[in-house]
């Protein structure tokens, strides 16, 4: 029996010829990540164990992206602790201020993850880097402390589920629509503990930005990781980003899968996940009666260049509806600068949008766009749980950037074709 | 070890934003986190819950974010155990790392809210009014980890050696 990409990467990092689903292994890690919410707990544990140093100062990453620019005194104190730790242990990859972006957009952009890596992060959306052909998964602060100190992690080798994606992408249908469709189909625990592997002609045709979006939401189906084989697009994306050795793994033809799904993307339209689960998915055209108060275009799911490009194309020469706030959050300083150069900022400002600095902010109801009781948002983020963006009686609808931008113009959930 | 406690029933997919909303995540003090546990759907829960009480969940308990604040908040209220039909992967690891006991069993249709049940943590035998149920065994590796005193104690010993 052959192995999947996930099994091959894990075997290599556990110095084994072969691993099987269900097996417990101790793997070497290439990177351990934490942010301003999860790092403080990791550092408390670091002190408790009496560690004297991190296993490799090049391989521990802190990104202060959640409650920053600091939303209150407590958040500022947390960031201060992480900053002091990073200075003391000379952590190479410490990101804050004008270098800081949303972690899962920032790390690939900065070349910190390469194909074939094992990455653990104290953030559930760490699964994003699977788009590069790396094994990456989220875990808690304590597991990250163990990784920071030992350079290792214990893992149960996951079973794999394959999604073969065929067909041609209709206009305005992107990675977000596909992953929402998949979560709607298999449910929020449909891939519980499993690796979600994506392949097929429709995946080859897909941009890296859309692949990041898909891998990012593997956790929303309960997945341990999402993974793509690195191809020419991955290699082109990686060019000039990292000097580290990378390795491209491919699943064997006789690898074992728990389930195999085939999806023709040509049959998909723009999708929206209704409150309060990412699996509550409907076609955008069924929801045109739903009025909205706020639009958020950003996050680790959809705050990349392709997303801003789609939003700009739709918002060009248009106006955000009265009484609607449309918040645009470029995910990293590089994306921010590029969007500015391309003239998107002018488009957004003319339309009446707010342009936020890179932050996770409103996605988790932290700051920069918290909802009041009874308010409703459509967002390009990843979770629409009860109270996710603010008051427990507020609501979040999840969509791709094109639907979100069209909705901003109409003041209700709208399809891109209605405004372009 | 046996625990006995009053049950609090929650449904399927109890996510980490319900267990502890993100707006409280700048706090690391367990007491403060406990005060806001389950706030979006059961705001009185932290005040009414008593030491030793047991949470009963459905499918995919603890889905969502990696925040360790979730098991910390539950444990801070003195909850002795969470029994759910299934657990989300990250929450499962975090609970073990934070010393919150978990068992996998489907009690949602068997137990009434507020009913007292008895649980033998080592055998996984759950005794409720209607039936006796055996929980799915905890993976051997996790038992070993618990016997070592948890991941952090294991690491501490490793560093001292």
């Amino acid at each position: 029996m052959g192995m999947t990409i996930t099994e091959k990467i894990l075997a290599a990092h556990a110095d084994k010829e072969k691993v099987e689903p269900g097996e417990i292994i101790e793997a070497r890690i290439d990177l351990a990540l934490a942010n301003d919410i999860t790092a403080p707990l990791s550092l408390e544990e670091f002190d408790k164990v009496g560690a004297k140093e991190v296993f490799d100062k090049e391989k521990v990453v802190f990104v202060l992206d959640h409650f920053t620019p600091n939303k209150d005194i407590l958040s500022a104190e947390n960031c201060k602790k992480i900053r002091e730790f990073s200075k003391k242990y000379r952590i190479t990859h410490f990101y804050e201020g004008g270098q800081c972006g949303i972690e899962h957009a920032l790390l690939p952009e900065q070349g910190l993850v390469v194909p074939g890596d094992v990455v653990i992060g104290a953030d559930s959306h760490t699964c994003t880097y699977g788009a590069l052909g790396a094994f990456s998964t989220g875990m808690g602060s304590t597991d990250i402390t163990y990784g920071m100190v030992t350079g290792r992690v214990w893992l149960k080798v996951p079973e794999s589920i394959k999604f073969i994606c065929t067909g041609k992408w209709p206009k305005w249908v992107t990675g977000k629509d596909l992953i929402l469709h998949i979560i709607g189909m298999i449910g929020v625990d449909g891939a519980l503990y499993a690796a979600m592997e994506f392949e097929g002609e429709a995946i080859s045709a897909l941009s890296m930005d859309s692949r990041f979006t898909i891998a990012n939401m593997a956790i929303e189906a309960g997945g341990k990781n999402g993974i793509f084989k690195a191809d020419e697009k991955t290699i082109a994306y990686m060019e000039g980003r990292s000097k580290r050795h990378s390795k491209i793994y491919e699943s064997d033809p006789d690898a074992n899968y728990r389930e195999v799904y085939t999806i023709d993307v040509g049959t998909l339209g723009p999708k929206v996940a209704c409150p309060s689960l990412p699996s509550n998915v409907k076609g955008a055209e069924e929801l045109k009666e739903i009025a909205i108060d706020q639009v958020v275009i950003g996050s680790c799911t959809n705050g990349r260049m392709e997303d801003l490009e789609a939003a700009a194309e739709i918002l060009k020469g248009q106006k955000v509806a009265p009484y609607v706030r449309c918040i645009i959050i470029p995910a990293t300083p590089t994306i921010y600068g590029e969007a500015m150069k391309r003239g998107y900022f002018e488009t957004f400002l003319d339309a009446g949008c707010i342009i936020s600095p890179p932050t996770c902010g409103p996605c988790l109801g932290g700051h920069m766009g918290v909802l009041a009781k009874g308010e409703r948002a459509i967002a390009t983020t990843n979770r629409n749980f009860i109270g996710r963006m603010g008051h427990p009686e507020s609501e979040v609808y999840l969509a791709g950037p094109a639907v979100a931008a069209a909705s901003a113009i109409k003041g209700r959930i709208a399809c891109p074709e209605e405004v372009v | 070890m046996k625990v006995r406690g009053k049950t609090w029933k929650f449904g399927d997919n109890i996510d980490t934003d319900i267990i502890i909303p993100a707006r409280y995540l700048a706090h690391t003090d367990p007491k403060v986190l406990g005060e806001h546990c389950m706030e979006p759907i059961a705001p009185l829960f932290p005040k009414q819950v008593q030491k030793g009480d047991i949470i009963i969940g459905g499918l995919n308990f603890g889905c969502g974010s990696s925040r360790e604040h979730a098991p910390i908040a539950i444990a801070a209220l003195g909850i002795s155990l969470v029994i759910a039909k299934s657990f989300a992967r990250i929450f499962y690891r975090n609970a073990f790392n934070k010393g919150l006991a978990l068992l996998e069993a489907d009690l949602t249709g068997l137990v009434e809210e507020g009913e007292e049940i008895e649980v033998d943590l080592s055998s996984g035998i759950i005794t409720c009014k209607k039936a006796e149920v055996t929980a799915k065994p905890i993976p051997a590796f996790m038992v070993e980890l618990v016997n070592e005193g948890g991941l952090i104690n294991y690491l501490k010993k490793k560093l001292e050696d």
Side-chain angles (χ1 to χ4, degrees):
Chain A
M1 184 70 74
M3 289 195 284
T4 63
I5 306 179
T6 297
E7 289 156 13
K8 285 184 183 180
I9 297 175
L10 292 179
H13 283 75
D15 302 315
K16 288 178 157 226
E17 286 281 307
K18 194 169 169 51
V19 295
E20 280 176 18
E23 187 178 340
I24 305 275
I25 56 163
E26 196 174 59
R28 279 177 285 108
I29 55 169
D30 297 296
L31 214 59
L33 161 76
N35 58 50
D36 53 313
I37 284 179
T38 57
L41 291 171
S42 290
L43 302 187
E44 274 181 24
E45 300 297 341
F46 187 91
D47 287 341
K48 265 190 223 162
V49 296
K52 299 281 185 294
E53 55 196 349
V54 299
F55 83 105
D56 186 336
K57 66 184 179 60
E58 295 279 335
K59 294 183 177 177
V60 174
V61 185
F62 294 119
V63 185
L64 312 188
D65 58 355
H66 275 63
F67 292 163
T68 54
N70 299 134
K71 80 178 178 84
D72 54 22
I73 296 169
L74 265 181
S75 316
E77 299 285 353
N78 285 338
C79 288
K80 192 176 164 195
K81 270 183 220 154
I82 304 163
R83 187 180 306 114
E84 282 167 0
F85 181 94
S86 299
K87 276 189 202 167
K88 182 174 174 189
Y89 294 98
R90 298 193 302 280
I91 302 296
T92 315
H93 303 293
F94 167 73
Y95 294 95
E96 68 165 342
Q99 278 71 50
C100 193
I102 297 174
E103 52 196 326
H104 308 308
L106 187 72
L107 266 58
E109 177 195 284
Q110 297 297 312
L112 298 191
V113 183
V114 302
D117 272 357
V118 167
V119 179
I120 58 169
D123 188 281
S124 59
H125 293 109
T126 302
C127 51
T128 310
Y129 319 131
L132 294 173
F135 173 88
S136 64
T137 191
M139 41 188 69
S141 303
T142 303
D143 277 311
I144 297 306
T145 306
Y146 188 87
M148 275 167 55
V149 175
T150 64
R152 290 177 174 271
V153 64
W154 73 263
L155 291 165
K156 184 162 91 174
V157 178
E159 292 180 301
S160 290
I161 303 175
K162 183 151 71 175
F163 298 88
I164 303 168
C165 305
T166 63
K168 289 214 159 38
W169 293 90
K171 175 81 177 157
W172 301 119
V173 175
T174 63
K176 183 63 166 283
D177 304 294
L178 173 62
I179 192 63
L180 287 178
H181 171 75
I182 289 173
I183 297 164
M185 183 172 74
I186 67 172
V188 287
D189 62 351
L192 197 59
Y193 288 83
M196 298 170 76
E197 188 176 319
F198 303 92
E199 62 159 58
E201 56 179 12
I203 297 298
S204 304
L206 210 52
S207 67
M208 287 311 295
D209 282 0
S210 256
R211 295 182 197 181
F212 284 121
T213 303
I214 293 171
N216 173 273
M217 288 191 75
I219 180 70
E220 280 12 290
K224 184 167 199 150
N225 64 309
I227 200 149
F228 294 70
K229 190 190 95 165
D231 62 7
E232 306 78 49
K233 281 188 182 159
T234 325
I235 294 164
Y237 177 87
M238 288 310 301
E239 208 172 312
R241 285 184 203 269
S242 177
K243 292 197 175 85
R244 280 181 46 224
H245 171 74
S246 66
K247 182 154 185 190
I248 294 174
Y249 292 91
E250 204 170 328
S251 292
D252 293 324
D254 59 344
N256 195 28
Y257 292 91
R258 187 170 93 187
E259 284 150 291
V260 178
Y261 294 93
T262 304
I263 299 157
D264 178 359
V265 303
T267 63
L268 302 180
K271 301 284 177 188
V272 176
C274 304
S276 303
L277 283 176
S279 57
N280 196 7
V281 175
K282 293 197 169 116
E285 71 287 350
E286 299 171 62
L287 299 164
K288 289 182 181 173
E289 306 294 311
I290 306 288
I292 48 153
D293 303 287
Q294 179 166 294
V295 178
V296 176
I297 298 173
S299 83
C300 59
T301 314
N302 285 111
R304 297 182 183 80
M305 217 52 229
E306 175 183 286
D307 306 313
L308 300 187
E309 190 181 338
E313 193 178 336
I314 285 177
L315 286 162
K316 181 100 186 157
Q318 302 270 14
K319 289 282 177 206
V320 172
Y323 306 108
V324 171
R325 296 94 63 185
C326 180
I327 305 166
I328 301 199
I329 313 175
T332 70
T334 305
I335 296 168
Y336 197 98
E338 178 66 18
M340 199 162 64
K341 265 188 241 151
R342 289 197 197 174
Y344 296 166
F345 277 18
E346 208 181 329
T347 299
F348 296 147
L349 291 173
D350 286 348
C353 301
I354 306 157
I355 302 167
S356 157
T359 180
C360 305
C363 171
L364 72 166
H367 64 152
M368 306 289 279
V370 175
L371 299 175
K373 182 176 174 176
E375 284 193 325
R376 198 181 281 143
I378 187 160
T380 66
T381 56
N382 42 52
R383 291 192 176 130
N384 55 356
F385 298 150
I386 294 170
R388 173 74 178 180
M389 203 174 272
H391 194 280
E393 288 173 48
S394 61
E395 289 182 335
V396 179
Y397 287 73
L398 304 174
V403 169
S407 304
I409 296 163
K410 290 288 187 187
R412 57 162 174 83
I413 294 180
C415 292
E417 290 81 8
E418 291 181 66
V419 293
V420 178
Chain B
M1 189 185 134
K2 279 188 183 173
V3 296
R4 205 181 158 77
K6 198 168 67 164
T7 57
W8 293 83
K9 280 177 74 175
F10 292 91
D12 290 341
N13 303 312
I14 296 300
D15 62 72
T16 51
D17 279 284
I18 288 175
I19 299 172
I20 181 73
R23 58 185 168 279
Y24 302 116
L25 296 186
H27 293 276
T28 52
D29 180 0
K31 190 171 167 285
V32 178
L33 296 170
E35 283 164 7
H36 300 286
C37 186
M38 303 291 186
E39 191 175 275
I41 58 167
L44 295 177
F45 176 71
K47 284 205 178 76
Q48 293 172 341
V49 77
Q50 280 168 347
K51 202 170 175 333
D53 284 359
I54 296 167
I55 288 179
I56 308 294
L59 288 167
N60 203 23
F61 188 94
C63 62
S65 97
S66 68
R67 62 190 72 161
E68 232 167 56
H69 311 66
I72 292 174
I74 294 174
L77 293 175
I79 297 283
S80 60
L81 166 73
V82 182
I83 305 173
K85 197 170 171 186
S86 63
F87 289 95
R89 185 188 67 82
I90 306 178
F91 181 85
Y92 195 80
R93 280 183 89 116
N94 286 349
F96 274 87
N97 286 341
K98 289 289 140 190
L100 173 67
L102 304 181
L103 282 179
E104 261 185 288
D106 183 9
L107 298 187
T108 47
L110 272 181
V111 170
E112 276 169 45
E113 171 95 5
E115 179 182 329
E116 264 207 11
I117 64 171
E118 191 177 86
V119 183
D120 186 332
L121 287 177
S122 33
S123 68
I125 294 173
I126 303 163
T127 314
C128 46
K129 243 189 261 166
K130 281 192 197 149
E132 195 177 87
V133 179
T134 307
K136 209 168 138 182
I138 295 168
F141 175 78
M142 303 297 268
V143 175
E144 238 173 82
L145 207 58
V146 171
N147 291 341
E148 292 278 353
L151 189 67
I152 284 302
N153 277 323
Y154 172 71
L155 176 57
K156 206 170 163 182
K157 273 185 230 157
K158 209 169 156 169
L159 291 177
E160 281 162 3
D161 287 346

